[in-house]
Amino acid sequence: METIGLLLPRSTFYETIGFDIFHGLKASLKRLGREDIKVVTENIGFGAEKQQCYRSAERLLLDENASLVIAYIGHRTAELLKPLFQATNKILIVLDAGAHLPQEWPTCPNIFYHSLHNSLGAWLSSKSAASNGHQNGGLITGYYDGGYLHTYSASKGFEEFGGTISFNHATGYKKDDFSMDTLKNHADNFPNSAFLTLFSGDYVQWCFEDLKNNLAGKKFTVYMSPFGFEETMLKNAVHPGSNVKGVASWSSKIKNEENEQFTKNMEALGKTPNLFSLLGWESAVIALQTLQLIAVHKNNTVQIANELTTFEFESPRGKTSFNQKTNTSLSPLYYASVIENENGTCEVELHEAITNLGEEFEKLINLPTENSTSAWYNSYTCI
């Protein structure tokens, strides 16, 4: 029996994150007729404890003899695990929120990244804001979200089209410390301003509530990155009463057969499909392709990697392929809006898919990041 190892995180924002990834993976394996594959899990906390992540991966490889390992971790932690996977000649599939921009994009044949591309989405959302005529912007993040380098991609995307970041605001960490009150003067001084927001989890709900309470009657437009469009959070968020636009990586409203099957399978398990069960579901397809290549090439990692970079598949997001320079997956991203439903809360309205995604990703990975740093090792949303 073949074994897949799975390193699972925990999160106070998304309490079911580990279960969602696990159930998405298992449901996809079942649909693909591979219930014979054993999935062994290890808990890695918030993904910030380096030794814990290393020991857990080592146990899966050595004690469980996993053919490959799937892990929800960031680039930094993946780099720490690289020597282990090189030494054991095994493949690591990183499920990546895409919130960080690495100082150097890695190209190790032992590691592949399957991403939700929050930084790329933030880059595109901010470019959209500037191209829509917003020349002044406020970069607004939560305390936690602001620790990742998607802040850099958001600001650089806005500046590329001639926009100027006129205001920076990082909110408090707890609900009692969270306030958008300081944005009143910014909205007065810069009419028709773009609020470039980077929020996840409960912060999305707090942001919308504060905007509605504190900036009623002010003219501004909110632009969001993919995690802002996470539907399980939006369904409980009051609409802020202003235009809310941006870039989404997934929605239950995407019309294709894979998304229909994914949604149906998750709901049959009594689960609400979300970004994390989506990653688990899609990772099964990549894992099965990897196992097939392992059998063909007898653990010749370079040959396996060369063929895996050319692999394409239909996912709930649309056609997914790999950028060969970075071993990173590219799935469609969508322009989207947040609209108010009949209950006064929020839902996603999808627009068109972004057509030049590969070109924009190339621009993103070539951004100069030498002087941009972050202290976060946590997997994004895991705190």
Side-chain angles (χ1 to χ4, degrees), residues 106-291:
T107 54
C108 171
N110 297 79
I111 305 178
F112 280 75
Y113 298 84
H114 183 50
S115 185
L116 291 169
H117 284 300
N118 209 61
S119 287
L120 179 59
W123 160 267
L124 291 165
S125 178
S126 296
K127 286 183 69 170
S128 173
S131 64
N132 287 340
H134 301 282
Q135 291 303 296
N136 289 287
L139 184 62
I140 306 163
T141 75
Y143 165 83
Y144 173 69
D145 300 86
Y148 292 84
L149 292 184
H150 53 193
T151 52
Y152 180 69
S153 65
S155 60
K156 297 304 286 187
F158 193 61
E159 291 167 356
E160 183 175 287
F161 266 75
T164 300
I165 302 295
S166 307
F167 187 83
N168 285 280
H169 177 54
T171 68
Y173 174 62
K174 297 181 179 180
K175 180 67 166 73
D176 292 342
D177 301 325
F178 190 99
S179 175
M180 293 291 176
D181 188 64
T182 56
L183 297 180
K184 290 179 180 178
N185 287 337
H186 175 71
D188 287 336
N189 293 331
F190 300 98
N192 196 29
S193 183
F195 289 175
L196 312 176
T197 64
L198 291 166
F199 289 111
S200 60
D202 295 343
Y203 285 109
V204 176
Q205 299 168 5
W206 302 349
C207 171
F208 283 10
E209 181 183 1
D210 258 44
L211 288 175
K212 186 177 181 67
N213 292 339
N214 292 324
L215 278 81
K218 306 287 185 183
K219 190 177 182 183
F220 61 92
T221 303
V222 177
Y223 286 84
M224 299 200 304
S225 62
F227 267 81
F229 284 93
E230 211 287 304
E231 291 180 339
T232 61
M233 292 297 163
L234 283 178
K235 71 178 182 180
N236 295 316
V238 62
H239 195 275
S242 58
N243 290 329
V244 183
K245 303 178 180 181
V247 173
S249 58
W250 173 80
S251 167
S252 59
K253 295 182 178 180
I254 294 174
K255 302 296 184 185
N256 65 45
E257 183 180 349
E258 282 298 316
N259 200 34
E260 182 180 338
Q261 288 297 322
F262 164 61
T263 303
K264 186 183 299 183
N265 275 266
M266 289 299 100
E267 290 175 346
L269 293 172
K271 310 293 181 182
T272 301
N274 61 22
L275 293 177
F276 304 110
S277 53
L278 170 76
L279 276 179
W281 176 274
E282 293 173 337
S283 72
V285 181
I286 301 171
L288 291 184
Q289 178 67 12
T290 304
L291 291 175

Side-chain angles (χ1 to χ4, degrees), residues 307-327:
E307 289 202 32
L308 197 53
T309 56
T310 65
F311 179 52
E312 296 183 347
F313 65 98
E314 293 295 334
S315 80
R317 295 184 263 176
K319 179 171 284 189
T320 296
S321 58
F322 283 92
N323 174 274
Q324 297 185 12
K325 292 181 182 178
T326 61
N327 290 2

